[in-house]
Amino acid sequence: ALILVNKHIMKDLGFAYPIAVAAMGQLSSWAFCVLCFRVLRTHELQMCEQVTWRFYVTNMGVVGAASAGALAFGQGVYLYMSVSFIQILKSLSPVITSCFLVAFGIERPSCTVWACVLMISAGAALASYGELHFSAIGTALMLTASCCEGLRLVLTQKVVVNLRFPALEG
């Protein structure tokens, strides 16, 4: 439903500011977290001492930048392509994420996983063939958003799993 609402806001209502639309969602998440952690104190933060400014910039800053890129490019694509074609291209995200996992040396997928990744790629290519409203700019935006999302997921895994952060603090 959120996808269709975003598409309606940007395309039908003519609000051609995809980053502003994405920022509204992030701002709402931030306000909810501040309310829960700082005002209501529903959860005590355990890793406060470990999160120095240097740690924050080199880890959280990069994750935040990748997240911002995924949101901005992912919202911008709605100005150029149909929702159905966007969803087809989003199916490539596991492929890109797997490539980043290998590139960063975090995981070595098995041959079975790579076979599934190739099947996903082939299915997306087949479904994309003959798209009536193909847009090179929209496709570039979508692939950039998927790369940012894959990078965000891999870096988040590094922070949460490898550095042993609790799920609520990662």
Side-chain angles (χ1 to χ4, degrees), residues 19-33:
I19 296 174
V21 174
M24 285 187 268
Q26 292 298 301
L27 186 61
S28 299
S29 296
W30 171 80
F32 181 75
C33 288

Side-chain angles (χ1 to χ4, degrees), residues 9-10 19 32 39 77:
I9 289 170
M10 289 187 290
I19 296 174
F32 181 75
V39 177
V77 76

Side-chain angles (χ1 to χ4, degrees), residues 70-87:
L71 284 169
F73 293 119
Q75 292 291 343
V77 76
Y78 288 101
L79 298 173
Y80 297 95
M81 297 191 317
S82 66
V83 172
S84 57
F85 190 53
I86 292 168
Q87 293 307 306

Side-chain angles (χ1 to χ4, degrees), residues 56-69 148 151-157 159 170:
Y56 189 82
V57 169
T58 58
N59 289 285
M60 309 301 193
V62 177
V63 171
S67 182
C148 288
L151 184 61
R152 182 192 70 80
L153 290 170
V154 168
L155 294 175
T156 300
Q157 179 174 339
V159 171

Side-chain angles (χ1 to χ4, degrees), residues 94-165:
V95 175
I96 294 168
T97 302
S98 297
C99 291
F100 276 125
L101 286 169
V102 170
F104 281 87
I106 292 176
E107 211 171 292
R108 293 277 179 219
S110 65
C111 290
T112 306
V113 170
W114 281 118
C116 292
V117 164
L118 287 173
M119 286 176 39
I120 291 170
S121 299
L126 188 63
S128 300
Y129 181 74
E131 168 65 17
L132 296 176
H133 304 290
F134 179 80
S135 166
I137 294 172
T139 302
L141 286 171
M142 190 65 236
L143 292 176
T144 303
S146 292
C147 285
C148 288
E149 180 67 13
L151 184 61
R152 182 192 70 80
L153 290 170
V154 168
L155 294 175
T156 300
Q157 179 174 339
K158 177 185 170 241
V159 171
V160 174
V161 176
N162 296 1
L163 298 177
R164 303 199 192 314
F165 268 65

